[in-house]
Amino acid sequence: MCGIAGWLSSNKDLSQKTGIIEKMSETLKRRGPDENGVYLQNNVCLIHRRLTVIDPDGGKQPMTISYGDETYTIVYNGELYNTEDIRDELKKLGIVFKGHSDTEVLLYTYICYKEKCVDKLNGIFAFAIYEHNSKRLFIARDHVGVKPLFYYHDGKDLLFASEIKTILANEIYTPHIDDEGLCELFFMSPGRTCSNGVFKGIKELLPGECAFYINGNLRCIRYFSLKAHEHEDNLSQTIEKTRFLIKDAIERQLVSDVPLCTFLSGGLDSSIITKTASDYYKEKGLGRLSSYSVNYTDNKKYFTKSLFQPNSDEEYISLMAEFADTNHTEVVLDNEELADAVIDATIARDLPMMADVDSSMLLFCRAMKKKHTVALSGECADELFGGYPWYHNKEILFEECFPWSRSLDIRRSILKKGFLPQGEEYVHQRYLDVVNATDYLPTDSPLEKRMRQMYSLNFYGFMQNLLERKDRMSMYSGFEVRVPFCDKRLVDYSFNMPWGFKALNGREKGIVRTAVSDMLPYDIVWRKKSPYPKTHNPIYMKIVSERVISIFKNGSPIEEYIDFDGVKQLIEHPDAISSPWYGQLMRAPQVLAFIIQLDYWFRNYIL
């Protein structure tokens, strides 16, 4: 995993801009602490920062290859999980490889197939390839959107980068936020609309999107989207194929030349990954797998059951760690450290987002990085296989809104009266944009059609936020996290799977549970879903409340937008929030931590 960036200009000699280029590269140092490289020629600059995972010597970037009448240079962030399949195909075309890196395979795939190369790839990636003679740039982002790629295009210059901060480091862009960005910040957050970078003029390639840039013109192309087709397998075939695809995706992602571990929450998805990985390690003679879980100081003392979090994880983690025979470590986070880290989390994302839900992940990854460089995690199974409560609650299912953010009342209660009166309309239109673009079959029943819409909403909405969180919080510590459930084959298969199969036996992720029922302990297979753990300690609420009061007491740029009386009501009556502000986790303490992030962001990014 790495960080990439580039600058192409139609009217500037970039060889005279080395200071700015170095500044851009420096912003990506956390993503790629091991090596850095730059290709710089006249009006073209490609930047690479490397976290070495595979082929330390043969995978150096930028990588340049001359073939036929053209010379190509690539910068690439990601991993290909079908590298050897593609390598064998390319060898049959006469390609001779110098190393065993997936970077070289990817570059030759482009050389042989040009923009159609993306159809060959199974992995997580964002990359740019420059053709020296034709002066054409090709950029692409993976099918599911695991790896980020932001860009800014003003007609004369194109900037692109793995993170927004890299674009902000260039003199040609001045940070600015307009009403659309404010709607994203205050009404869509802690997520954001796909392709919208919140900062005015900054966009992101969509999942499954690529683009060509030549002579100042940028042309974007969607090469992948969710497509409806008939599901031809019967139930037993579907169970068997689901099991195969999950196990194959996991095993393909265990390739690494550096220490690898797994996240283990005691839930279904992380348990499948950990058990599969542990068995693979033993079979290959790779030793005992390491697994990690996260908890908070005194959390057991203060834990209370809820609809969204029916039980705590500890007993299930112990059961699974013993069953899979892993070298398990529990990372216990301090509540004050958790509150402090919301600022680092803001810097990591370049935006205020999921507050301590982000900062806890950041601290968790930082702890794992001490002994490991790569981890596998269970994100996205819930989006693909109907794991969230909103898939199963008929009162919620057909509501015309994002199911993880059904009410905007909490937001309105802390905003200035009359601020962004179009906020609700903006959110509803973003909802309609996704729903109206959803592909379905004429034969789909109303329920099946709605389930396709829900899949699209989750795929392009909630899931993208979780993937962004995982990428930024991990890469901030130079730590790579892979997500096997994001395998494009699983995405296509699950999108077209009938709901009756997917929710087999009336259970969330019923097909997955049945497919792995003989792999895991019964209590793990049939455990009710529990979300990523959060702190329940009242000291955390006290810390963030005091910090928010101090922010307003000393004056803040967010006073233009936030009503302090509404915030005080939230502090004094935190239990008045009847449902989470976003998803399953964000309640009063997280809203207050988000306000802390907002204050920092406006002071350091906009002012």
Side-chain angles (χ1 to χ4, degrees), residues 186-206:
F186 288 104
F187 287 92
M188 293 293 292
S189 67
R192 58 184 173 84
T193 305
C194 265
S195 84
N196 192 309
V198 181
F199 291 87
K200 185 178 181 180
I202 294 182
K203 298 184 180 298
E204 185 177 24
L205 281 185
L206 290 166

Side-chain angles (χ1 to χ4, degrees), residues 273-562:
I273 291 172
T274 298
K275 176 59 175 168
T276 303
S278 179
D279 289 350
Y280 181 91
Y281 262 47
K282 291 173 183 175
E283 180 185 336
K284 299 294 182 182
L286 299 174
R288 194 177 180 203
L289 179 75
S290 293
S291 60
Y292 287 82
S293 61
V294 65
N295 208 340
Y296 306 85
T297 302
D298 291 333
N299 225 31
K300 191 171 184 179
K301 179 180 177 181
Y302 295 106
F303 176 80
T304 54
K305 294 182 179 182
S306 70
L307 172 65
F308 296 107
Q309 199 150 13
N311 44 46
S312 59
D313 294 333
E314 288 91 338
E315 62 180 283
Y316 297 97
I317 292 169
S318 297
L319 170 63
M320 195 59 220
E322 182 178 352
F323 182 78
D325 187 29
T326 67
N327 179 22
H328 187 75
T329 301
E330 180 187 51
V331 176
V332 180
L333 303 180
D334 174 77
N335 285 277
E336 187 163 358
E337 184 184 20
L338 182 67
D340 290 342
V342 298
I343 300 303
D344 272 350
T346 310
I347 297 168
R349 280 226 205 189
D350 295 314
L351 290 167
M353 284 291 179
M354 295 188 80
D356 59 71
V357 181
D358 278 353
S359 66
S360 62
M361 179 63 71
L362 185 151
L363 295 172
F364 187 29
C365 290
R366 183 179 295 172
M368 288 186 281
K369 172 64 176 179
K370 293 176 182 178
K371 293 185 178 180
H372 295 84
T373 304
V374 180
L376 269 63
S377 181
E379 269 85 357
C380 305
D382 292 305
E383 287 83 0
L384 271 56
F385 292 100
Y388 292 119
W390 49 73
Y391 278 102
H392 303 269
N393 187 325
K394 292 182 179 179
E395 294 180 4
I396 298 175
L397 183 59
F398 286 93
E399 286 184 350
E400 293 287 313
C401 64
F402 292 111
W404 53 86
S405 186
R406 296 164 59 210
S407 172
L408 301 176
D409 292 347
I410 301 169
R411 300 165 191 265
R412 277 292 178 205
S413 72
I414 63 171
L415 292 177
K416 293 278 190 182
K417 289 185 178 179
F419 176 59
L420 294 176
Q422 74 277 29
E424 287 81 358
E425 181 182 347
Y426 180 89
V427 172
H428 187 61
Q429 186 57 54
R430 299 292 79 77
Y431 162 83
L432 291 176
D433 290 344
V434 178
V435 167
N436 292 339
T438 300
D439 198 30
Y440 59 92
L441 299 176
T443 54
D444 283 345
S445 68
L447 177 62
E448 293 292 351
K449 180 178 178 181
R450 183 56 177 170
M451 285 306 180
R452 290 193 191 273
Q453 293 173 344
M454 287 289 282
Y455 190 111
S456 294
L457 287 167
N458 280 271
F459 185 89
Y460 290 111
F462 199 76
M463 190 171 103
Q464 295 304 314
N465 188 19
L466 296 185
L467 290 174
E468 180 176 345
R469 167 182 176 248
K470 184 57 64 71
D471 175 82
R472 292 321 178 279
M473 299 309 120
S474 60
M475 296 304 291
Y476 194 72
S477 296
F479 184 67
E480 173 190 326
V481 180
R482 300 171 178 174
V483 277
F485 282 98
C486 284
D487 188 293
K488 69 173 185 178
R489 298 168 300 167
L490 271 171
V491 169
D492 181 65
Y493 196 63
S494 60
F495 180 65
N496 288 288
M497 189 183 296
W499 179 246
F501 285 9
K502 199 177 293 187
L504 193 62
N505 300 316
R507 286 299 305 271
E508 68 281 2
K509 293 184 290 191
I511 191 74
V512 178
R513 296 177 191 276
T514 303
V516 302
S517 59
D518 63 339
M519 284 177 53
L520 305 174
Y522 179 90
D523 288 348
I524 297 290
V525 172
W526 300 106
R527 179 190 178 193
K528 186 172 176 60
K529 175 181 168 52
S530 187
Y532 179 83
K534 68 174 181 179
T535 180
H536 296 272
N537 196 323
I539 194 173
Y540 182 77
M541 178 64 179
K542 182 175 183 292
I543 292 169
V544 294
S545 296
E546 290 174 350
R547 294 184 183 184
V548 167
I549 290 171
S550 177
I551 283 171
F552 283 93
K553 181 179 179 181
N554 295 311
S556 169
I558 64 174
E559 289 180 283
E560 181 180 347
Y561 316 110
I562 302 289

Side-chain angles (χ1 to χ4, degrees), residues 229-269:
H229 57 73
E230 292 288 350
H231 183 83
E232 297 179 351
D233 294 340
N234 61 32
L235 179 57
S236 62
Q237 291 169 330
T238 301
I239 293 170
E240 182 180 354
K241 187 166 184 178
T242 299
R243 180 187 175 102
F244 167 77
L245 289 174
I246 291 173
K247 289 193 66 177
D248 188 64
I250 295 167
E251 290 177 353
R252 284 175 180 266
Q253 298 190 24
L254 292 171
V255 177
S256 175
D257 291 336
V258 294
L260 178 148
C261 62
T262 64
F263 288 54
L264 179 59
S265 69
L268 177 68
D269 313 320

Side-chain angles (χ1 to χ4, degrees), residues 54-176:
I54 295 175
D55 194 3
D57 295 324
K60 294 181 183 293
Q61 298 184 50
M63 180 181 288
T64 299
I65 292 175
S66 293
Y67 191 86
D69 297 329
E70 185 59 272
T71 298
Y72 307 83
T73 297
I74 184 173
V75 287
Y76 158 53
N77 167 32
E79 300 284 351
L80 297 185
Y81 302 128
N82 61 340
T83 300
E84 297 311 313
D85 298 337
I86 300 175
R87 193 194 307 273
D88 290 342
E89 181 179 330
L90 293 173
K91 284 180 177 179
K92 293 176 183 177
L93 297 178
I95 301 298
V96 177
F97 293 93
K98 294 182 179 179
H100 70 272
S101 74
D102 57 351
T103 305
E104 187 181 13
V105 170
L106 174 56
L107 183 50
Y108 271 119
T109 305
Y110 178 78
I111 289 170
C112 293
Y113 298 107
K114 294 300 186 286
E115 68 270 23
K116 296 297 182 182
C117 71
V118 290
D119 298 328
K120 302 282 186 179
L121 309 178
N122 182 6
I124 56 178
F125 55 80
F127 65 87
I129 297 174
Y130 183 68
E131 301 176 44
H132 295 213
N133 296 333
S134 65
K135 301 187 184 305
R136 183 172 72 161
L137 181 79
F138 179 74
I139 56 176
R141 189 179 181 208
D142 65 75
H143 303 71
V144 184
V146 179
K147 290 287 111 182
L149 193 59
F150 294 93
Y151 66 92
Y152 169 73
H153 178 223
D154 66 1
K156 296 179 180 178
D157 292 77
L158 173 71
L159 299 173
F160 66 86
S162 297
E163 297 187 7
I164 292 173
K165 59 174 60 68
T166 311
I167 295 174
L168 302 183
N170 194 296
E171 63 182 9
I172 71 170
Y173 181 78
T174 301
H176 180 64

Side-chain angles (χ1 to χ4, degrees), residues 575-590:
D575 295 332
I577 298 181
S578 58
S579 62
W581 176 44
Y582 182 92
Q584 304 169 78
L585 291 173
M586 299 193 71
R587 293 183 178 272
Q590 288 71 42

